[in-house]
Amino acid sequence: MRLGPALIEGGRLNPGYLKLDLYCRGLRVAPDLVDAGLVRRVRAGLGSGLELCLSDSGMYVNAPVHEAFAHSSPYALRASSQTGSYDLLRDGRALARVAVAPAPRFYGRRTTSGKRMDTIGTIQGTYLGIYYGGLCANWKAPSEDACRFCGLGHSGERTNKTAQDVIETALAAREELRITFVHVNGGFDDREGYVHRFLPLMRRLRDETGLLSGLQLPPLADPAAYHAIREAGVNNVSLCFELWNDEAFTHACPGKARRAGLDRYRESISYCARDVGFDTTNGELIAGLEDPAASMAAIDWLTDVGAIPTVCVFRPLVGTPLENRQPPRTEEMVPVFAHTYRRCIERGLPIGVAPDLRVSIVLTPDECRWLLPPSERERWKLRRLKHAAMRRALGWRVRRRVRKSRAVSP
Ligand code: SF4
């Protein structure tokens, strides 16, 4: 009999299982934590919860707290005597020590154009996430094209950021928190030349901050644009097709289905992963809105073309058409996340190699190893050592780039 993963294994907490369980069950918190401005609703909404760091593992998790299901969660926080430290309780019993991530100091600073930096970018784990560009075309359309799970239009996200605002905010985050990665997204847009508005920003991020960068994109009509993005210094591209089943995709993402369609997402991901030379290409999925078997089929396809799956757990955000839907059950999500790790490793994909990068809004593919049965987890130790060596080498490269950028623009 093969024993599966569990929250407690041999008397020890499984941090990956806990992270997944928090996404699926949410967290009850005292109102003062919410009122303290620690819960932020920005970008499309996955970061709408409370940022926690699981003290023993160093894993970050953005735990849902606003949504109805979170109000009956078995998880709750109890303040401990140490400032900023909490006991995470499950059914009233202390399970782990966690830290609530404090708001970074740079959030209160202003860019030279006078905008508060917390309206420019958000720390999600240990990286800086930036929404850039105008409002997503699907939110602008008169015909309810917005993805049904998306909270962008309710988030108050600022849409008049300049490249200079972003650079100043990234530099402030780099100096205060030693971040290594900036992720930029701009919703969906199918206008010709759309991506060219991102290129000057991405070039400046590389040259003036030295940080690694990622750009989330819709499918682009001209394949040459992907090469221009790579030449602008972008390390990672991601495309969010969200759902594998055509009917589920059309229902949940009417604008994306009408303006692009699943096939164009697949073609673009495959092209980026095979022909452009990005360090990594990601395909983003939401698990919990379709059968787990469909999510696993998407993971198979992605890893076959050389792309890395980013799998989010469906969160029924308040104010969206799906707010009354339940999130998936942890037990049905375990095989999906275990499959993510297994497939990435079997295909030799470079997971967990970005230096000092921890992510709060999803389980990273590397963290998905915790959802394997314990005996299988051991099997991939050598591969993990290889990835650790790659991470050190990349860390050295980033530090060198940062030093160089400081010399150019102190
Ligand atoms: S593409 Fe969909 S998920 Fe992304 S910002 Fe637009 S409406 Fe939201």
Side-chain angles (χ1 to χ4, degrees):
M1 188 178 73
R2 196 163 81 162
L3 285 180
L7 185 61
I8 305 292
E9 292 170 354
R12 300 183 66 168
L13 181 70
N14 176 332
Y17 198 106
L18 173 61
K19 184 167 172 174
L20 177 60
D21 211 28
L22 282 165
Y23 289 143
C24 294
R25 295 174 186 263
L27 173 70
R28 286 178 288 121
V29 295
D32 60 310
L33 274 177
V34 177
D35 296 344
L38 292 169
V39 177
R40 301 166 51 72
R41 189 164 184 185
V42 286
R43 303 177 102 198
L46 262 190
S48 59
L50 187 66
E51 289 272 306
L52 299 176
C53 178
L54 309 178
S55 305
D56 288 342
S57 63
M59 240 183 233
Y60 282 76
V61 56
N62 184 284
V65 295
H66 280 307
E67 293 72 20
F69 75 96
H71 300 148
S72 54
S73 170
Y75 292 102
L77 282 189
R78 181 177 67 196
S80 90
S81 48
Q82 260 174 286
T83 316
S85 179
Y86 290 82
D87 291 320
L88 178 67
L89 312 180
R90 193 178 201 280
D91 297 321
R93 295 176 60 179
L95 187 69
R97 182 62 61 88
V98 299
V100 173
R105 288 192 305 281
F106 80 84
Y107 274 7
R109 289 175 53 189
R110 288 186 186 272
T111 64
T112 48
S113 68
K115 301 179 191 97
R116 266 180 65 110
M117 289 187 178
D118 62 352
T119 67
I120 306 298
T122 310
I123 295 294
Q124 297 181 317
T126 62
Y127 74 92
L128 181 67
I130 305 269
Y131 185 89
Y132 186 73
L135 186 63
C136 168
N138 292 331
W139 274 95
K140 276 193 238 159
S143 58
E144 298 196 336
D145 269 355
C147 301
R148 291 164 64 78
F149 48 79
C150 172
L152 180 74
H154 306 300
S155 68
E157 181 72 62
R158 187 189 274 279
T159 53
N160 64 345
K161 303 167 192 178
T162 64
Q164 183 63 22
D165 290 327
V166 174
I167 296 296
E168 289 173 18
T169 304
L171 287 172
R174 186 191 75 182
E175 294 312 303
E176 181 182 338
L177 302 173
R178 306 216 170 286
I179 61 165
T180 55
F181 182 68
V182 180
H183 186 254
V184 177
N185 76 327
F188 187 95
D189 202 316
D190 51 0
R191 279 175 298 176
E192 202 165 321
Y194 156 77
V195 79
H196 291 284
R197 84 174 77 140
F198 288 86
L199 298 183
L201 170 66
M202 302 315 289
R203 261 186 227 112
R204 289 189 64 187
L205 276 170
R206 175 193 58 196
D207 298 341
E208 296 178 39
T209 73
L211 299 170
L212 300 170
S213 69
L215 181 60
Q216 191 183 95
L217 290 169
L220 303 173
D222 179 7
Y226 295 117
H227 295 273
I229 293 165
R230 179 67 194 118
E231 276 152 30
V234 173
N235 302 93
N236 161 269
V237 289
S238 52
L239 288 99
C240 311
F241 60 94
E242 324 287 13
L243 293 147
W244 187 247
N245 175 290
D246 234 319
E247 211 177 301
F249 173 72
T250 306
H251 180 71
C253 310
K256 289 188 191 194
R258 191 170 66 77
R259 293 158 185 267
L262 261 183
D263 283 345
R264 282 195 53 214
Y265 274 91
R266 291 184 191 122
E267 281 160 21
S268 297
I269 290 170
S270 172
Y271 186 75
C272 286
R274 290 176 159 163
D275 297 314
V276 185
F278 292 110
D279 292 351
T280 46
T281 297
N282 285 66
E284 299 199 13
L285 282 172
I286 297 179
L289 279 179
E290 62 184 337
D291 194 287
S295 302
M296 291 202 267
I299 291 162
D300 283 341
W301 179 83
L302 282 167
T303 50
D304 278 347
V305 300
I308 297 174
T310 301
V311 187
C312 316
V313 174
F314 164 62
R315 188 177 295 194
L317 294 173
V318 177
T320 64
L322 298 185
E323 68 175 341
N324 293 322
R325 215 171 139 144
Q326 286 300 306
R329 287 184 303 112
T330 308
E331 300 72 35
E332 62 185 356
M333 289 294 99
V334 166
V336 174
F337 286 91
H339 196 61
T340 300
Y341 188 79
R342 210 174 270 135
R343 289 289 299 197
C344 286
I345 287 288
E346 284 170 1
R347 297 284 170 212
L349 296 170
I351 57 173
V353 302
D356 300 321
L357 177 63
R358 285 184 285 281
V359 180
S360 61
I361 56 176
V362 294
L363 273 152
T364 62
D366 189 46
E367 290 170 346
C368 290
R369 71 182 183 279
W370 290 103
L371 284 314
L372 294 172
S375 55
E376 190 180 348
R377 228 174 280 155
E378 290 299 306
R379 201 188 310 158
W380 303 110
K381 261 192 168 164
L382 277 181
R383 203 65 66 84
R384 293 199 63 229
L385 286 175
K386 180 181 163 192
H387 290 160
M390 290 167 76
R391 189 163 59 240
R392 279 194 296 279
L394 191 51
W396 179 80
R397 206 174 102 198
V398 174
R399 284 193 294 280
R400 199 178 55 163
R401 274 175 38 158
V402 166
R403 275 199 301 276
K404 206 165 140 200
S405 72
R406 278 201 185 108
V408 175
S409 53

